[in-house]
Amino acid sequence: MFAPAPPPPSPLPPTSNLGFRRDVVFPDRWGWRSSRSCTRLEPARLRSLAPGIDGVAPGDEPRAAAESAKQFRDSPVPGAPHNVLSTVGKSTNILWHECPVGKIERQKLLGQRGCVVWITGLSGSGKSTLACALSRELHYRGYLTYVLDGDNIRHGLNRDLSFKEQDRAENIRRIGEVAKLFSDAGVICIASLISPYRKERDACRAIMPDSTFIEVFLDIPLEICEARDPKGLYKLARAGKIKGFTGIDDPYEPPLNPEIVIQQQKGGNCPTPKAMAKEVASYLDNNGFLKA
């Protein structure tokens, strides 16, 4: 008789989309925490370590469920009282629900810190160009980004908004809230839009925690932006066919204390997209955003 074939070796833990090794999970006070181990746990071992998940020993389900619910109920919820219904804006009787997998866990999985890179400047200053160049630069380095382009957002989420002052403010508010969600997910979110009013930009900064709002001001003179006129909008504004156009008959309020200012170089030349992207990427690296 032939001897039975040896069992195949235990597979390594799966990797994430970015190639990072996923850790095996163990229970903690929330019900879960990440382990440093890269060994595969057998089902019996998991059952003994993780009551309350798939594989709970027969008869232990009610006790495990009760303990898990108590742990979650008694856990601290940042900024929200326990079991208290709230009114926020026009929303009534709402309750904040905290998830046991939080921002720190997501950042460790991705190997980066979530933040918002908010690029502001006149139309034609190069905001979208910088956003795409920065996204490409960070992608090549192995970091996850997402670009929120002002025009792209108006194709969907904000297509019900006009360019009147009140709607422009709401446009910025919505994008700021979406950017905050991306940052909370551990993603480096790159928001590219004129955002002409200081008040709205500062409001977006105020909802971001721990200095994770990085304002990048493209300080490119109006005459250069108008000479570029990639969409032909300055020409239409000068002809009176567009009203309330930023830089022509509507003001642009430059940031007072942006984290990064990009200006034209000596001799009147503007920096290349790659050079601008590297400058912003260096800021992210030097300030710890490119590591968990």
Side-chain angles (χ1 to χ4, degrees):
M1 295 180 63
F2 293 101
S10 298
L12 290 173
T15 58
S16 69
N17 292 340
L18 299 179
F20 298 109
R21 186 72 60 197
R22 292 191 192 275
D23 294 334
V24 181
V25 293
F26 292 82
D28 68 355
R29 60 185 296 274
W30 287 97
W32 301 93
R33 70 175 174 83
S34 293
S35 167
R36 299 283 182 184
S37 172
C38 284
T39 59
R40 187 170 71 94
L41 298 181
E42 298 300 327
R45 176 64 173 155
L46 276 174
R47 282 195 295 270
S48 66
L49 287 173
I53 63 171
D54 292 340
V56 172
D60 285 348
E61 292 90 345
R63 178 185 60 81
E67 288 181 357
S68 178
K70 184 178 185 302
Q71 287 175 348
F72 190 78
R73 183 177 63 250
D74 294 342
S75 61
V77 179
H82 292 295
N83 301 321
V84 175
L85 296 178
S86 303
T87 297
V88 181
K90 296 181 179 179
S91 298
T92 60
N93 299 321
I94 58 175
L95 179 67
W96 182 271
H97 291 275
E98 189 78 5
C99 180
V101 178
K103 184 175 183 178
I104 293 177
E105 288 76 20
R106 292 187 287 269
Q107 291 182 150
K108 287 182 178 179
L109 180 66
L110 296 173
Q112 63 188 51
R113 286 177 57 204
C115 63
V116 174
V117 179
W118 191 279
I119 305 173
T120 178
L122 292 170
S123 177
S125 60
K127 299 180 300 299
S128 296
T129 299
L130 170 56
C132 292
L134 177 60
S135 179
R136 182 168 55 247
E137 174 71 21
L138 293 176
H139 178 78
Y140 287 158
R141 297 189 190 188
Y143 299 101
L144 182 62
T145 67
Y146 195 86
V147 175
L148 296 177
D149 182 85
D151 279 6
N152 291 356
I153 295 295
R154 284 183 176 272
H155 278 77
L157 176 65
N158 290 351
R159 65 182 180 182
D160 60 321
L161 301 177
S162 70
F163 285 92
K164 295 180 180 179
E165 183 176 353
Q166 184 175 355
D167 280 359
R168 295 186 81 165
E170 174 62 12
N171 177 62
I172 300 302
R173 189 196 68 81
R174 291 184 191 178
I175 294 176
E177 292 289 350
V178 172
K180 179 184 177 182
L181 294 176
F182 272 104
S183 174
D184 186 64
V187 176
I188 298 172
C189 181
I190 306 168
S192 165
L193 56 163
I194 295 174
S195 47
Y197 306 126
R198 197 175 296 126
K199 178 181 178 181
E200 278 78 33
R201 296 195 304 269
D202 289 346
C204 292
R205 178 188 292 274
I207 66 174
M208 295 295 301
D210 305 325
S211 302
T212 52
F213 185 91
I214 301 152
E215 195 170 29
V216 180
F217 175 35
L218 286 183
D219 187 12
I220 307 300
L222 174 62
E223 56 270 20
I224 293 180
C225 297
E226 190 168 359
R228 292 173 175 174
D229 202 9
K231 305 175 188 176
L233 299 180
Y234 283 102
K235 184 177 180 180
L236 294 175
R238 292 293 187 186
K241 296 181 179 180
I242 296 179
K243 301 296 183 182
F245 190 75
T246 301
I248 303 300
D249 55 351
D250 207 54
Y252 176 82
E253 300 173 352
L256 298 178
N257 295 293
E259 280 69 23
I260 301 172
V261 178
I262 296 177
Q263 298 174 311
Q264 61 182 129
Q265 301 167 333
K266 293 181 180 179
N269 295 323
C270 292
T272 65
K274 186 174 183 178
M276 293 191 295
K278 286 186 175 297
E279 181 177 348
V280 179
S282 294
Y283 177 91
L284 295 175
D285 192 12
N286 294 336
N287 287 271
F289 289 101
L290 303 187
K291 56 187 176 183

